[in-house]
Amino acid sequence: MLRSYKLYLMLLVSSIFFIVCQNQGSITSFVSNAAAASSPSASASGAADDMPLGVSGALSERLVAMADGELVYGEPVPAPAEKIRSRSLNFKDIPLKLNDRSSSTSAATTSLTTTTTTTTSTTAKTTTSTTTTTTPKSTVDKEAAQQLFPVDTKRLPPLYIITPTYRRPEQIPEMTRLGYTLKHVPNVLWIVVEDSENRTDAVTRLLEDIGVPYVQLAAPMPAQYRKQKVKPRGVSNRNRALQWIRANATEGILYFADDDNTYNLKLFEQLRHVRKVAMFPVGLISKYQVSSPIVKNGTITGFYDGWLGGRKYPLDMAGFAVSVKFLHSRPKAQMPFKPGYEEDGFLRSLEPLDLKEVELLASNCTEILTWHTQARKNPPAPALDRKKYGGTNLVQLTSWLV
């Protein structure tokens, strides 16, 4: 009996050993797979290397596909777990196209499609037009556009800051000052419009470095105005920005913030809930050193400015803001190509506008929250002597200069 038991036990062990030997390959594969599952996979690691930090997978694929710069985020996009709620979008059901490569003037009209963008530039005094067609690699859906305004827009309406600019020695330092001011402002989109045929690399590089969400456009001054002694600077730029806002925004506030001004952050806080039009003082304007509505008992009774010029609204460009909804209610509102009367012409185009409806900011216009601090004009830098300084840091350094 005992011998039979031992024999049976030996047969059982032999059978187990034989089965293990026959399935050694399968067991080895199973162990390898289990070890691989316990550590990050090679494919996931490779994908992570290409994925922007803080961006979910689906959104990251869209961002990687936008290699031509159609969309620019000036700050990291939060992951879904970190995303602040943003239920109310401010964009129509059309492709949101940032970093517009096309140029246009105040009378330009843009048709957006899923494959092409066509921009026609016209002026009031000419019948000829030029058309530029580009094909973007991709368009941005509402989910991606939503990332521009991470805070609930019902609680904190977005600000559209319109800045016309042109190439000059003071351009980059003045844009730097304004850009880092806007960096402290939440729910802001900086619309930078260059007076040139195309966007310049210097401005693009600066905007990317600062990190404020932005749209970069190009809108050159029409040729006939460039011949005038006094030029209507910034008009085509601002009208192009108004066109962009009409096409893409439905809520919020627009404000013309020139790059040669200085701004108190309190001003942007007060702009948030403008219902129609708001006005406020601007310092360092004309011989009076200030341009402001005259307020008595909370009502505008006139305007205080060093040059009235027969204007109905003698204000500085930085002295008023407009609701986007109110702009939509005035579809023909734009800025005229009339030097010295740009602000007046634009505000007139918003009529009917009762002064009693105008909101008075800056403590009933008793404070100055923005200053016209123009930088000293500088002559262009002389050409670098390449024979003398070739191969030195000066070659690269002069690329910053005009």
Side-chain angles (χ1 to χ4, degrees), residues 221 225-234 338-340 342:
M221 182 188 301
Y225 299 115
R226 292 186 180 275
K227 301 176 183 178
Q228 297 181 2
K229 185 176 181 180
V230 181
K231 301 176 178 60
R233 289 196 178 278
K338 189 176 180 180
E342 295 92 339

Side-chain angles (χ1 to χ4, degrees), residues 125-381:
K125 297 184 179 180
T126 61
T127 57
T128 60
S129 63
T130 59
T131 303
T132 303
T133 303
T134 59
T135 304
K137 284 188 177 181
S138 58
T139 54
V140 184
D141 60 12
K142 291 172 66 176
E143 180 184 349
Q146 183 178 359
Q147 304 297 333
L148 293 172
F149 303 115
V151 182
D152 191 337
T153 54
K154 291 295 183 184
R155 178 165 58 88
L156 195 67
L159 297 180
Y160 297 92
I161 306 301
I162 299 172
T163 301
T165 187
Y166 65 98
R167 186 72 169 147
R168 64 193 190 281
E170 304 82 23
Q171 181 188 37
I172 297 302
E174 289 183 334
M175 289 280 291
T176 300
R177 177 180 59 194
L178 175 56
Y180 280 100
T181 297
L182 295 179
K183 200 172 179 69
H184 297 279
V185 182
N187 268 30
V188 65
L189 183 65
W190 193 10
I191 305 177
V192 178
V193 192
E194 297 187 69
D195 185 356
S196 62
E197 293 293 337
N198 300 290
R199 297 177 298 118
T200 62
D201 292 338
V203 173
T204 302
R205 183 170 58 244
L206 177 67
L207 294 174
E208 291 176 350
D209 288 344
I210 293 175
V212 173
Y214 70 89
V215 176
Q216 186 181 3
L217 309 174
M221 182 188 301
Q224 70 265 32
Y225 299 115
R226 292 186 180 275
K227 301 176 183 178
Q228 297 181 2
K229 185 176 181 180
V230 181
K231 301 176 178 60
R233 289 196 178 278
V235 175
S236 60
N237 311 54
R238 298 184 183 97
N239 283 333
R240 178 67 182 91
L242 293 175
Q243 180 192 44
W244 191 95
I245 289 176
R246 282 191 172 100
N248 295 285
T250 58
E251 298 180 359
I253 297 87
L254 68 92
Y255 178 57
F256 299 110
D258 290 351
D259 55 10
D260 58 354
N261 291 350
T262 301
Y263 304 90
N264 190 316
L265 292 178
K266 290 167 59 178
L267 174 63
F268 301 106
E269 296 174 8
Q270 296 180 21
L271 292 179
R272 292 289 181 185
H273 302 283
V274 173
R275 293 183 294 274
K276 290 186 176 180
V277 177
M279 296 181 181
F280 38 90
V282 180
L284 298 181
I285 296 292
S286 73
K287 61 183 179 181
Y288 291 166
Q289 294 293 296
V290 68
S291 174
S292 173
I294 301 173
V295 180
K296 187 173 183 179
N297 298 325
T299 303
I300 297 177
T301 60
F303 294 92
Y304 186 79
D305 191 277
W307 177 70
L308 298 178
R311 296 181 294 169
K312 183 176 181 179
Y313 303 100
L315 293 170
D316 183 73
M317 192 67 69
F320 62 91
V322 180
S323 162
V324 171
K325 284 186 176 180
F326 188 61
L327 178 70
H328 279 293
S329 70
R330 305 291 189 268
K332 296 183 179 180
Q334 64 177 0
M335 199 163 288
F337 285 88
K338 189 176 180 180
Y341 293 85
E342 295 92 339
E343 302 93 337
D344 182 61
F346 175 68
L347 289 171
R348 283 175 181 266
S349 70
L350 294 174
E351 293 179 340
L353 175 63
D354 193 331
L355 287 180
K356 293 180 181 179
E357 299 177 302
V358 174
E359 299 167 57
L360 302 175
L361 305 185
S363 301
N364 255 5
C365 295
T366 60
E367 299 177 341
I368 298 178
L369 301 180
T370 177
W371 304 80
H372 193 53
T373 49
Q374 286 182 308
R376 180 179 64 86
K377 297 297 181 182
N378 296 275

